[in-house]
mmCIF file of all heavy atoms in Angstrom:
data_model
loop_
_atom_site.group_PDB
_atom_site.id
_atom_site.type_symbol
_atom_site.label_atom_id
_atom_site.label_comp_id
_atom_site.label_asym_id
_atom_site.label_seq_id
_atom_site.Cartn_x
_atom_site.Cartn_y
_atom_site.Cartn_z
ATOM 1 N N GLY A 87 96.345 106.787 106.939
ATOM 2 C CA GLY A 87 95.890 106.440 108.287
ATOM 3 C C GLY A 87 94.429 106.145 108.519
ATOM 4 O O GLY A 87 94.018 106.003 109.672
ATOM 5 N N ALA A 88 93.625 106.063 107.473
ATOM 6 C CA ALA A 88 92.201 105.769 107.675
ATOM 7 C C ALA A 88 91.584 105.269 106.370
ATOM 8 O O ALA A 88 92.275 105.164 105.341
ATOM 9 C CB ALA A 88 91.467 107.010 108.166
ATOM 10 N N HIS A 89 90.283 104.992 106.421
ATOM 11 C CA HIS A 89 89.561 104.507 105.237
ATOM 12 C C HIS A 89 89.331 105.596 104.201
ATOM 13 O O HIS A 89 88.989 105.307 103.069
ATOM 14 C CB HIS A 89 88.204 103.950 105.677
ATOM 15 C CG HIS A 89 87.309 104.997 106.273
ATOM 16 N ND1 HIS A 89 87.592 105.607 107.485
ATOM 17 C CD2 HIS A 89 86.171 105.584 105.823
ATOM 18 C CE1 HIS A 89 86.653 106.502 107.746
ATOM 19 N NE2 HIS A 89 85.785 106.517 106.766
ATOM 20 N N LYS A 90 89.506 106.868 104.557
ATOM 21 C CA LYS A 90 89.080 107.962 103.681
ATOM 22 C C LYS A 90 89.752 107.932 102.312
ATOM 23 O O LYS A 90 89.184 108.357 101.318
ATOM 24 C CB LYS A 90 89.346 109.304 104.363
ATOM 25 C CG LYS A 90 88.513 109.479 105.630
ATOM 26 C CD LYS A 90 87.797 110.794 105.666
ATOM 27 C CE LYS A 90 86.702 110.830 106.700
ATOM 28 N NZ LYS A 90 87.179 110.637 108.093
ATOM 29 N N ALA A 115 87.999 117.161 110.997
ATOM 30 C CA ALA A 115 89.239 116.848 111.707
ATOM 31 C C ALA A 115 90.455 117.022 110.802
ATOM 32 O O ALA A 115 91.582 117.096 111.276
ATOM 33 C CB ALA A 115 89.184 115.413 112.204
ATOM 34 N N GLN A 117 91.122 114.786 108.292
ATOM 35 C CA GLN A 117 91.499 113.501 107.675
ATOM 36 C C GLN A 117 91.064 113.440 106.207
ATOM 37 O O GLN A 117 91.812 112.987 105.360
ATOM 38 C CB GLN A 117 90.862 112.329 108.447
ATOM 39 C CG GLN A 117 91.442 112.123 109.826
ATOM 40 C CD GLN A 117 92.918 111.829 109.786
ATOM 41 O OE1 GLN A 117 93.727 112.700 110.058
ATOM 42 N NE2 GLN A 117 93.282 110.618 109.428
ATOM 43 N N HIS A 118 89.852 113.906 105.932
ATOM 44 C CA HIS A 118 89.398 113.912 104.542
ATOM 45 C C HIS A 118 90.170 114.955 103.727
ATOM 46 O O HIS A 118 90.480 114.732 102.558
ATOM 47 C CB HIS A 118 87.890 114.168 104.467
ATOM 48 C CG HIS A 118 87.388 114.327 103.065
ATOM 49 N ND1 HIS A 118 87.548 113.343 102.102
ATOM 50 C CD2 HIS A 118 86.762 115.358 102.435
ATOM 51 C CE1 HIS A 118 87.029 113.763 100.963
ATOM 52 N NE2 HIS A 118 86.550 114.981 101.124
ATOM 53 N N GLY A 192 83.462 113.814 101.545
ATOM 54 C CA GLY A 192 84.216 112.849 102.345
ATOM 55 C C GLY A 192 83.429 111.751 103.015
ATOM 56 O O GLY A 192 84.012 110.884 103.667
ATOM 57 N N SER A 193 82.090 111.760 102.889
ATOM 58 C CA SER A 193 81.333 110.695 103.546
ATOM 59 C C SER A 193 80.067 110.401 102.741
ATOM 60 O O SER A 193 79.840 111.012 101.684
ATOM 61 C CB SER A 193 81.000 111.090 104.979
ATOM 62 O OG SER A 193 80.456 109.977 105.673
ATOM 63 N N THR A 194 79.246 109.485 103.256
ATOM 64 C CA THR A 194 78.024 109.097 102.533
ATOM 65 C C THR A 194 76.915 110.122 102.760
ATOM 66 O O THR A 194 75.814 109.782 103.179
ATOM 67 C CB THR A 194 77.537 107.709 103.002
ATOM 68 O OG1 THR A 194 77.636 107.648 104.435
ATOM 69 C CG2 THR A 194 78.337 106.607 102.386
ATOM 70 N N VAL A 204 79.962 107.211 97.349
ATOM 71 C CA VAL A 204 80.931 106.983 98.423
ATOM 72 C C VAL A 204 80.771 105.573 99.003
ATOM 73 O O VAL A 204 81.764 104.888 99.281
ATOM 74 C CB VAL A 204 80.798 108.068 99.521
ATOM 75 C CG1 VAL A 204 81.748 107.794 100.684
ATOM 76 C CG2 VAL A 204 81.062 109.458 98.926
ATOM 77 N N CYS A 234 81.890 102.447 113.513
ATOM 78 C CA CYS A 234 81.449 103.744 114.038
ATOM 79 C C CYS A 234 80.782 104.527 112.905
ATOM 80 O O CYS A 234 81.034 104.266 111.728
ATOM 81 C CB CYS A 234 82.626 104.528 114.613
ATOM 82 S SG CYS A 234 83.866 105.038 113.400
ATOM 83 N N VAL A 235 79.915 105.483 113.277
ATOM 84 C CA VAL A 235 79.282 106.341 112.262
ATOM 85 C C VAL A 235 79.426 107.814 112.587
ATOM 86 O O VAL A 235 79.051 108.286 113.655
ATOM 87 C CB VAL A 235 77.762 106.073 112.075
ATOM 88 C CG1 VAL A 235 77.527 104.975 111.092
ATOM 89 C CG2 VAL A 235 77.054 105.818 113.374
ATOM 90 N N GLY A 236 79.990 108.532 111.618
ATOM 91 C CA GLY A 236 79.987 109.994 111.644
ATOM 92 C C GLY A 236 78.996 110.386 110.566
ATOM 93 O O GLY A 236 77.802 110.535 110.802
ATOM 94 N N GLY A 237 79.477 110.479 109.322
ATOM 95 C CA GLY A 237 78.585 110.608 108.173
ATOM 96 C C GLY A 237 78.149 109.230 107.693
ATOM 97 O O GLY A 237 77.144 109.079 107.018
ATOM 98 N N GLY A 238 78.977 108.226 108.015
ATOM 99 C CA GLY A 238 78.574 106.848 107.735
ATOM 100 C C GLY A 238 79.331 106.119 106.648
ATOM 101 O O GLY A 238 78.887 105.058 106.198
ATOM 102 N N SER A 239 80.514 106.623 106.213
ATOM 103 C CA SER A 239 81.149 105.971 105.063
ATOM 104 C C SER A 239 81.892 104.688 105.404
ATOM 105 O O SER A 239 81.806 103.710 104.651
ATOM 106 C CB SER A 239 82.070 106.942 104.323
ATOM 107 O OG SER A 239 83.209 107.272 105.063
ATOM 108 N N ASN A 240 82.609 104.657 106.544
ATOM 109 C CA ASN A 240 83.304 103.389 106.837
ATOM 110 C C ASN A 240 82.275 102.315 107.189
ATOM 111 O O ASN A 240 82.449 101.141 106.848
ATOM 112 C CB ASN A 240 84.423 103.565 107.875
ATOM 113 C CG ASN A 240 83.984 103.463 109.317
ATOM 114 O OD1 ASN A 240 83.930 102.378 109.887
ATOM 115 N ND2 ASN A 240 83.650 104.605 109.933
ATOM 116 N N ALA A 241 81.183 102.741 107.832
ATOM 117 C CA ALA A 241 80.114 101.786 108.155
ATOM 118 C C ALA A 241 79.457 101.279 106.868
ATOM 119 O O ALA A 241 79.238 100.066 106.709
ATOM 120 C CB ALA A 241 79.081 102.441 109.061
ATOM 121 N N SER A 305 85.550 113.364 119.539
ATOM 122 C CA SER A 305 86.161 112.946 118.288
ATOM 123 C C SER A 305 85.692 113.850 117.151
ATOM 124 O O SER A 305 84.515 113.848 116.789
ATOM 125 C CB SER A 305 85.762 111.487 118.044
ATOM 126 O OG SER A 305 85.529 111.281 116.692
ATOM 127 N N GLY A 307 86.009 113.717 114.056
ATOM 128 C CA GLY A 307 85.511 113.037 112.857
ATOM 129 C C GLY A 307 84.067 112.565 112.963
ATOM 130 O O GLY A 307 83.478 112.147 111.978
ATOM 131 N N LEU A 308 83.492 112.589 114.150
ATOM 132 C CA LEU A 308 82.098 112.141 114.321
ATOM 133 C C LEU A 308 81.160 113.308 114.604
ATOM 134 O O LEU A 308 79.960 113.137 114.794
ATOM 135 C CB LEU A 308 81.999 111.121 115.470
ATOM 136 C CG LEU A 308 82.840 109.860 115.329
ATOM 137 C CD1 LEU A 308 82.596 108.921 116.509
ATOM 138 C CD2 LEU A 308 82.565 109.126 114.023
ATOM 139 N N ILE A 313 73.450 112.613 109.073
ATOM 140 C CA ILE A 313 73.878 111.215 108.974
ATOM 141 C C ILE A 313 73.576 110.757 107.550
ATOM 142 O O ILE A 313 72.575 111.194 106.965
ATOM 143 C CB ILE A 313 73.146 110.342 110.026
ATOM 144 C CG1 ILE A 313 73.508 108.856 109.894
ATOM 145 C CG2 ILE A 313 71.622 110.505 109.930
ATOM 146 C CD1 ILE A 313 74.932 108.545 110.282
ATOM 147 N N ALA A 352 92.213 105.363 116.354
ATOM 148 C CA ALA A 352 91.665 106.719 116.299
ATOM 149 C C ALA A 352 90.491 106.823 117.267
ATOM 150 O O ALA A 352 89.823 105.829 117.559
ATOM 151 C CB ALA A 352 91.185 107.034 114.878
ATOM 152 N N LEU A 353 90.232 108.030 117.743
ATOM 153 C CA LEU A 353 89.108 108.241 118.661
ATOM 154 C C LEU A 353 87.772 107.857 118.016
ATOM 155 O O LEU A 353 86.878 107.350 118.697
ATOM 156 C CB LEU A 353 89.045 109.725 119.044
ATOM 157 C CG LEU A 353 89.665 110.082 120.391
ATOM 158 C CD1 LEU A 353 89.700 111.587 120.551
ATOM 159 C CD2 LEU A 353 88.879 109.441 121.532
ATOM 160 N N GLU A 354 87.639 108.105 116.714
ATOM 161 C CA GLU A 354 86.402 107.731 116.028
ATOM 162 C C GLU A 354 86.202 106.220 116.127
ATOM 163 O O GLU A 354 85.132 105.744 116.525
ATOM 164 C CB GLU A 354 86.469 108.132 114.538
ATOM 165 C CG GLU A 354 86.442 109.625 114.265
ATOM 166 C CD GLU A 354 87.815 110.268 114.416
ATOM 167 O OE1 GLU A 354 88.804 109.536 114.642
ATOM 168 O OE2 GLU A 354 87.896 111.506 114.308
ATOM 169 N N SER A 355 87.253 105.475 115.766
ATOM 170 C CA SER A 355 87.164 104.009 115.764
ATOM 171 C C SER A 355 86.849 103.456 117.148
ATOM 172 O O SER A 355 86.225 102.393 117.278
ATOM 173 C CB SER A 355 88.484 103.409 115.281
ATOM 174 O OG SER A 355 88.999 104.141 114.189
ATOM 175 N N LEU A 377 88.209 98.890 112.179
ATOM 176 C CA LEU A 377 89.041 99.886 112.846
ATOM 177 C C LEU A 377 89.349 100.947 111.781
ATOM 178 O O LEU A 377 90.253 100.788 110.984
ATOM 179 C CB LEU A 377 90.314 99.192 113.337
ATOM 180 C CG LEU A 377 90.958 99.779 114.566
ATOM 181 C CD1 LEU A 377 90.015 99.735 115.756
ATOM 182 C CD2 LEU A 377 92.235 99.027 114.888
ATOM 183 N N SER A 378 88.549 102.024 111.809
ATOM 184 C CA SER A 378 88.558 102.965 110.678
ATOM 185 C C SER A 378 89.843 103.765 110.548
ATOM 186 O O SER A 378 90.186 104.199 109.451
ATOM 187 C CB SER A 378 87.357 103.911 110.792
ATOM 188 O OG SER A 378 87.336 104.550 112.053
ATOM 189 N N GLY A 379 90.561 103.990 111.671
ATOM 190 C CA GLY A 379 91.774 104.798 111.558
ATOM 191 C C GLY A 379 92.712 104.622 112.740
ATOM 192 O O GLY A 379 92.352 104.050 113.766
ATOM 193 N N ARG A 380 93.924 105.117 112.568
ATOM 194 C CA ARG A 380 94.934 104.999 113.622
ATOM 195 C C ARG A 380 94.957 106.245 114.502
ATOM 196 O O ARG A 380 94.438 107.296 114.124
ATOM 197 C CB ARG A 380 96.299 104.716 113.015
ATOM 198 C CG ARG A 380 96.857 105.809 112.136
ATOM 199 C CD ARG A 380 98.277 105.460 111.656
ATOM 200 N NE ARG A 380 98.263 104.727 110.396
ATOM 201 C CZ ARG A 380 98.878 105.138 109.274
ATOM 202 N NH1 ARG A 380 99.583 106.261 109.272
ATOM 203 N NH2 ARG A 380 98.826 104.423 108.171
ATOM 204 N N LYS A 383 96.841 110.981 115.035
ATOM 205 C CA LYS A 383 96.297 112.338 115.030
ATOM 206 C C LYS A 383 95.698 112.720 116.383
ATOM 207 O O LYS A 383 95.457 113.896 116.643
ATOM 208 C CB LYS A 383 95.233 112.454 113.941
ATOM 209 C CG LYS A 383 93.993 111.653 114.272
ATOM 210 C CD LYS A 383 92.959 111.685 113.175
ATOM 211 C CE LYS A 383 91.760 110.815 113.507
ATOM 212 N NZ LYS A 383 91.068 111.163 114.755
HETATM 213 C C1 LIG B 1 86.301 110.627 109.193
HETATM 214 C C2 LIG B 1 86.480 109.443 110.047
HETATM 215 C C3 LIG B 1 85.370 108.716 110.544
HETATM 216 C C4 LIG B 1 83.943 109.126 110.333
HETATM 217 O O1 LIG B 1 83.514 109.159 109.016
HETATM 218 P P1 LIG B 1 82.541 108.087 108.391
HETATM 219 O O2 LIG B 1 82.148 108.683 107.103
HETATM 220 O O3 LIG B 1 81.372 107.926 109.339
HETATM 221 O O4 LIG B 1 83.290 106.825 108.242
HETATM 222 C C5 LIG B 1 85.605 107.572 111.287
HETATM 223 N N1 LIG B 1 86.867 107.172 111.565
HETATM 224 C C6 LIG B 1 87.949 107.848 111.123
HETATM 225 C C7 LIG B 1 89.305 107.341 111.478
HETATM 226 C C8 LIG B 1 87.799 109.007 110.354
HETATM 227 O O5 LIG B 1 88.881 109.660 109.919
#
Side-chain angles (χ1 to χ4, degrees):
H89 64 292
K90 296 230 165 61
Q117 291 300 102
H118 174 58
S193 189
T194 43
V204 177
C234 66
V235 273
S239 69
N240 87 87
S305 142
L308 301 182
I313 177 69
L353 261 172
E354 291 82 5
S355 319
L377 209 61
S378 54
R380 64 176 90 122
K383 69 183 177 58

